[in-house]
mmCIF file of all heavy atoms in Angstrom:
data_model
loop_
_atom_site.group_PDB
_atom_site.id
_atom_site.type_symbol
_atom_site.label_atom_id
_atom_site.label_comp_id
_atom_site.label_asym_id
_atom_site.label_seq_id
_atom_site.Cartn_x
_atom_site.Cartn_y
_atom_site.Cartn_z
ATOM 1 N N MET R 289 127.812 37.189 124.313
ATOM 2 C CA MET R 289 127.552 38.489 123.748
ATOM 3 C C MET R 289 128.218 38.591 122.387
ATOM 4 O O MET R 289 129.370 38.230 122.220
ATOM 5 C CB MET R 289 128.106 39.551 124.691
ATOM 6 C CG MET R 289 127.918 40.947 124.164
ATOM 7 S SD MET R 289 128.864 42.150 125.104
ATOM 8 C CE MET R 289 130.338 42.176 124.130
ATOM 9 N N THR R 290 127.515 39.137 121.407
ATOM 10 C CA THR R 290 128.091 39.292 120.087
ATOM 11 C C THR R 290 128.476 40.740 119.806
ATOM 12 O O THR R 290 129.299 40.994 118.956
ATOM 13 C CB THR R 290 127.111 38.814 119.012
ATOM 14 O OG1 THR R 290 125.899 39.560 119.135
ATOM 15 C CG2 THR R 290 126.825 37.331 119.167
ATOM 16 N N ALA R 291 127.868 41.684 120.502
ATOM 17 C CA ALA R 291 128.152 43.092 120.254
ATOM 18 C C ALA R 291 129.466 43.492 120.916
ATOM 19 O O ALA R 291 129.809 43.022 121.989
ATOM 20 C CB ALA R 291 127.024 43.963 120.786
ATOM 21 N N ALA R 293 131.103 46.282 122.860
ATOM 22 C CA ALA R 293 130.547 47.373 123.658
ATOM 23 C C ALA R 293 131.631 48.246 124.275
ATOM 24 O O ALA R 293 132.663 47.759 124.731
ATOM 25 C CB ALA R 293 129.647 46.806 124.743
ATOM 26 N N ASP R 343 130.075 48.148 118.200
ATOM 27 C CA ASP R 343 128.681 47.975 117.803
ATOM 28 C C ASP R 343 127.754 48.824 118.662
ATOM 29 O O ASP R 343 126.698 49.261 118.213
ATOM 30 C CB ASP R 343 128.269 46.505 117.928
ATOM 31 C CG ASP R 343 129.097 45.613 117.028
ATOM 32 O OD1 ASP R 343 129.297 45.983 115.855
ATOM 33 O OD2 ASP R 343 129.557 44.562 117.496
ATOM 34 N N VAL R 344 128.153 49.023 119.905
ATOM 35 C CA VAL R 344 127.363 49.833 120.825
ATOM 36 C C VAL R 344 128.318 50.653 121.684
ATOM 37 O O VAL R 344 129.379 50.174 122.090
ATOM 38 C CB VAL R 344 126.435 48.970 121.721
ATOM 39 C CG1 VAL R 344 127.234 47.992 122.556
ATOM 40 C CG2 VAL R 344 125.556 49.833 122.589
ATOM 41 N N ALA R 345 127.930 51.898 121.905
ATOM 42 C CA ALA R 345 128.702 52.757 122.799
ATOM 43 C C ALA R 345 127.722 53.482 123.715
ATOM 44 O O ALA R 345 126.656 53.919 123.281
ATOM 45 C CB ALA R 345 129.535 53.770 122.013
ATOM 46 N N VAL R 346 128.103 53.582 124.978
ATOM 47 C CA VAL R 346 127.338 54.351 125.952
ATOM 48 C C VAL R 346 128.273 55.433 126.459
ATOM 49 O O VAL R 346 129.356 55.137 126.972
ATOM 50 C CB VAL R 346 126.841 53.468 127.116
ATOM 51 C CG1 VAL R 346 126.023 54.305 128.103
ATOM 52 C CG2 VAL R 346 126.020 52.293 126.586
ATOM 53 N N ALA R 362 118.541 59.327 129.645
ATOM 54 C CA ALA R 362 119.269 58.627 128.587
ATOM 55 C C ALA R 362 118.634 58.941 127.242
ATOM 56 O O ALA R 362 117.405 59.047 127.137
ATOM 57 C CB ALA R 362 119.266 57.126 128.834
ATOM 58 N N TRP R 363 119.489 59.113 126.244
ATOM 59 C CA TRP R 363 119.049 59.375 124.876
ATOM 60 C C TRP R 363 119.731 58.376 123.957
ATOM 61 O O TRP R 363 120.946 58.205 124.026
ATOM 62 C CB TRP R 363 119.462 60.768 124.414
ATOM 63 C CG TRP R 363 118.853 61.899 125.143
ATOM 64 C CD1 TRP R 363 117.675 62.534 124.855
ATOM 65 C CD2 TRP R 363 119.407 62.596 126.271
ATOM 66 N NE1 TRP R 363 117.468 63.560 125.739
ATOM 67 C CE2 TRP R 363 118.516 63.622 126.620
ATOM 68 C CE3 TRP R 363 120.569 62.438 127.025
ATOM 69 C CZ2 TRP R 363 118.736 64.497 127.680
ATOM 70 C CZ3 TRP R 363 120.801 63.291 128.084
ATOM 71 C CH2 TRP R 363 119.888 64.312 128.396
ATOM 72 N N ASP R 364 118.958 57.738 123.093
ATOM 73 C CA ASP R 364 119.534 56.886 122.059
ATOM 74 C C ASP R 364 119.787 57.806 120.871
ATOM 75 O O ASP R 364 118.850 58.289 120.237
ATOM 76 C CB ASP R 364 118.571 55.760 121.690
ATOM 77 C CG ASP R 364 119.219 54.699 120.841
ATOM 78 O OD1 ASP R 364 120.222 55.005 120.155
ATOM 79 O OD2 ASP R 364 118.736 53.562 120.853
ATOM 80 N N VAL R 365 121.048 58.092 120.604
ATOM 81 C CA VAL R 365 121.403 59.088 119.588
ATOM 82 C C VAL R 365 122.207 58.475 118.448
ATOM 83 O O VAL R 365 122.931 59.169 117.745
ATOM 84 C CB VAL R 365 122.189 60.277 120.207
ATOM 85 C CG1 VAL R 365 121.361 60.976 121.254
ATOM 86 C CG2 VAL R 365 123.516 59.830 120.781
ATOM 87 N N ARG R 404 124.490 51.567 117.595
ATOM 88 C CA ARG R 404 123.763 51.998 118.793
ATOM 89 C C ARG R 404 124.674 52.890 119.617
ATOM 90 O O ARG R 404 125.765 52.489 120.008
ATOM 91 C CB ARG R 404 123.347 50.774 119.612
ATOM 92 C CG ARG R 404 122.578 51.082 120.862
ATOM 93 C CD ARG R 404 121.075 51.143 120.588
ATOM 94 N NE ARG R 404 120.338 51.667 121.708
ATOM 95 C CZ ARG R 404 119.810 50.937 122.681
ATOM 96 N NH1 ARG R 404 119.953 49.633 122.674
ATOM 97 N NH2 ARG R 404 119.141 51.520 123.652
ATOM 98 N N LEU R 405 124.222 54.116 119.864
ATOM 99 C CA LEU R 405 124.960 55.064 120.696
ATOM 100 C C LEU R 405 123.969 55.669 121.678
ATOM 101 O O LEU R 405 122.985 56.291 121.275
ATOM 102 C CB LEU R 405 125.597 56.161 119.843
ATOM 103 C CG LEU R 405 126.317 57.283 120.582
ATOM 104 C CD1 LEU R 405 127.476 56.746 121.418
ATOM 105 C CD2 LEU R 405 126.820 58.329 119.603
ATOM 106 N N VAL R 406 124.225 55.454 122.958
ATOM 107 C CA VAL R 406 123.347 55.966 124.003
ATOM 108 C C VAL R 406 124.131 56.973 124.829
ATOM 109 O O VAL R 406 125.281 56.717 125.210
ATOM 110 C CB VAL R 406 122.835 54.824 124.914
ATOM 111 C CG1 VAL R 406 122.001 55.375 126.075
ATOM 112 C CG2 VAL R 406 122.031 53.829 124.088
ATOM 113 N N VAL R 407 123.515 58.111 125.090
ATOM 114 C CA VAL R 407 124.087 59.108 125.977
ATOM 115 C C VAL R 407 123.326 59.045 127.291
ATOM 116 O O VAL R 407 122.093 59.140 127.304
ATOM 117 C CB VAL R 407 123.979 60.531 125.387
ATOM 118 C CG1 VAL R 407 124.405 61.579 126.419
ATOM 119 C CG2 VAL R 407 124.806 60.658 124.124
ATOM 120 N N VAL R 408 124.052 58.825 128.380
ATOM 121 C CA VAL R 408 123.474 58.904 129.714
ATOM 122 C C VAL R 408 123.945 60.232 130.285
ATOM 123 O O VAL R 408 125.147 60.437 130.482
ATOM 124 C CB VAL R 408 123.912 57.721 130.606
ATOM 125 C CG1 VAL R 408 123.412 57.906 132.037
ATOM 126 C CG2 VAL R 408 123.419 56.405 130.019
ATOM 127 N N ALA R 434 123.199 52.453 136.659
ATOM 128 C CA ALA R 434 122.038 51.631 136.289
ATOM 129 C C ALA R 434 121.582 51.952 134.867
ATOM 130 O O ALA R 434 121.210 51.043 134.111
ATOM 131 C CB ALA R 434 120.894 51.857 137.276
ATOM 132 N N GLY R 435 121.651 53.227 134.466
ATOM 133 C CA GLY R 435 121.297 53.607 133.097
ATOM 134 C C GLY R 435 122.249 53.003 132.079
ATOM 135 O O GLY R 435 121.821 52.542 131.011
ATOM 136 N N VAL R 436 123.526 52.993 132.395
ATOM 137 C CA VAL R 436 124.517 52.372 131.514
ATOM 138 C C VAL R 436 124.239 50.876 131.399
ATOM 139 O O VAL R 436 124.209 50.315 130.299
ATOM 140 C CB VAL R 436 125.957 52.612 132.043
ATOM 141 C CG1 VAL R 436 126.968 51.762 131.284
ATOM 142 C CG2 VAL R 436 126.321 54.094 131.957
ATOM 143 N N CYS R 437 124.008 50.234 132.531
ATOM 144 C CA CYS R 437 123.749 48.781 132.534
ATOM 145 C C CYS R 437 122.479 48.456 131.749
ATOM 146 O O CYS R 437 122.440 47.470 131.006
ATOM 147 C CB CYS R 437 123.664 48.261 133.959
ATOM 148 S SG CYS R 437 125.259 48.268 134.810
ATOM 149 N N SER R 438 121.461 49.269 131.889
ATOM 150 C CA SER R 438 120.217 49.055 131.141
ATOM 151 C C SER R 438 120.454 49.153 129.642
ATOM 152 O O SER R 438 119.967 48.317 128.876
ATOM 153 C CB SER R 438 119.174 50.083 131.587
ATOM 154 O OG SER R 438 118.001 49.960 130.829
ATOM 155 N N ALA R 439 121.210 50.148 129.218
ATOM 156 C CA ALA R 439 121.517 50.299 127.785
ATOM 157 C C ALA R 439 122.304 49.101 127.272
ATOM 158 O O ALA R 439 122.057 48.621 126.160
ATOM 159 C CB ALA R 439 122.288 51.598 127.549
ATOM 160 N N LEU R 440 123.233 48.605 128.074
ATOM 161 C CA LEU R 440 124.027 47.440 127.664
ATOM 162 C C LEU R 440 123.162 46.177 127.589
ATOM 163 O O LEU R 440 123.292 45.384 126.661
ATOM 164 C CB LEU R 440 125.201 47.229 128.620
ATOM 165 C CG LEU R 440 126.291 48.305 128.570
ATOM 166 C CD1 LEU R 440 127.282 48.112 129.713
ATOM 167 C CD2 LEU R 440 126.992 48.316 127.224
ATOM 168 N N ARG R 441 122.261 46.015 128.560
ATOM 169 C CA ARG R 441 121.359 44.848 128.539
ATOM 170 C C ARG R 441 120.506 44.831 127.277
ATOM 171 O O ARG R 441 120.234 43.772 126.715
ATOM 172 C CB ARG R 441 120.441 44.863 129.753
ATOM 173 C CG ARG R 441 121.024 44.259 130.973
ATOM 174 C CD ARG R 441 119.968 44.097 132.078
ATOM 175 N NE ARG R 441 120.628 44.142 133.358
ATOM 176 C CZ ARG R 441 120.721 45.224 134.134
ATOM 177 N NH1 ARG R 441 120.167 46.361 133.783
ATOM 178 N NH2 ARG R 441 121.372 45.150 135.271
ATOM 179 N N GLU R 442 120.055 45.999 126.848
ATOM 180 C CA GLU R 442 119.184 46.098 125.676
ATOM 181 C C GLU R 442 119.842 45.585 124.400
ATOM 182 O O GLU R 442 119.151 45.245 123.453
ATOM 183 C CB GLU R 442 118.716 47.536 125.474
ATOM 184 C CG GLU R 442 117.697 47.980 126.499
ATOM 185 C CD GLU R 442 117.256 49.407 126.305
ATOM 186 O OE1 GLU R 442 117.495 49.979 125.202
ATOM 187 O OE2 GLU R 442 116.677 49.965 127.241
ATOM 188 N N VAL R 443 121.159 45.545 124.380
ATOM 189 C CA VAL R 443 121.862 45.030 123.189
ATOM 190 C C VAL R 443 122.457 43.649 123.439
ATOM 191 O O VAL R 443 123.280 43.179 122.652
ATOM 192 C CB VAL R 443 122.946 46.013 122.681
ATOM 193 C CG1 VAL R 443 122.314 47.300 122.194
ATOM 194 C CG2 VAL R 443 124.002 46.260 123.743
ATOM 195 N N GLY R 444 122.062 43.019 124.530
ATOM 196 C CA GLY R 444 122.459 41.645 124.762
ATOM 197 C C GLY R 444 123.690 41.438 125.598
ATOM 198 O O GLY R 444 124.191 40.318 125.704
ATOM 199 N N VAL R 445 124.214 42.489 126.219
ATOM 200 C CA VAL R 445 125.358 42.321 127.106
ATOM 201 C C VAL R 445 124.847 41.702 128.411
ATOM 202 O O VAL R 445 123.837 42.124 128.965
ATOM 203 C CB VAL R 445 126.054 43.668 127.391
ATOM 204 C CG1 VAL R 445 127.172 43.504 128.403
ATOM 205 C CG2 VAL R 445 126.582 44.275 126.106
ATOM 206 N N ASP R 446 125.549 40.673 128.880
ATOM 207 C CA ASP R 446 125.179 40.001 130.121
ATOM 208 C C ASP R 446 125.607 40.864 131.304
ATOM 209 O O ASP R 446 126.788 40.866 131.680
ATOM 210 C CB ASP R 446 125.817 38.619 130.180
ATOM 211 C CG ASP R 446 125.366 37.819 131.389
ATOM 212 O OD1 ASP R 446 124.299 38.142 131.954
ATOM 213 O OD2 ASP R 446 126.081 36.873 131.767
ATOM 214 N N VAL R 447 124.638 41.611 131.853
ATOM 215 C CA VAL R 447 124.903 42.482 132.979
ATOM 216 C C VAL R 447 124.117 41.948 134.169
ATOM 217 O O VAL R 447 122.888 41.853 134.098
ATOM 218 C CB VAL R 447 124.482 43.941 132.685
ATOM 219 C CG1 VAL R 447 124.722 44.828 133.892
ATOM 220 C CG2 VAL R 447 125.230 44.468 131.470
#
Side-chain angles (χ1 to χ4, degrees):
M289 178 192 93
T290 58
D343 299 315
V344 60
V346 181
W363 296 271
D364 192 336
V365 299
R404 181 89 190 268
L405 176 61
V406 176
V407 172
V408 174
V436 170
C437 290
S438 176
L440 292 171
R441 275 190 207 97
E442 288 179 16
V443 295
V445 175
D446 185 21
V447 178

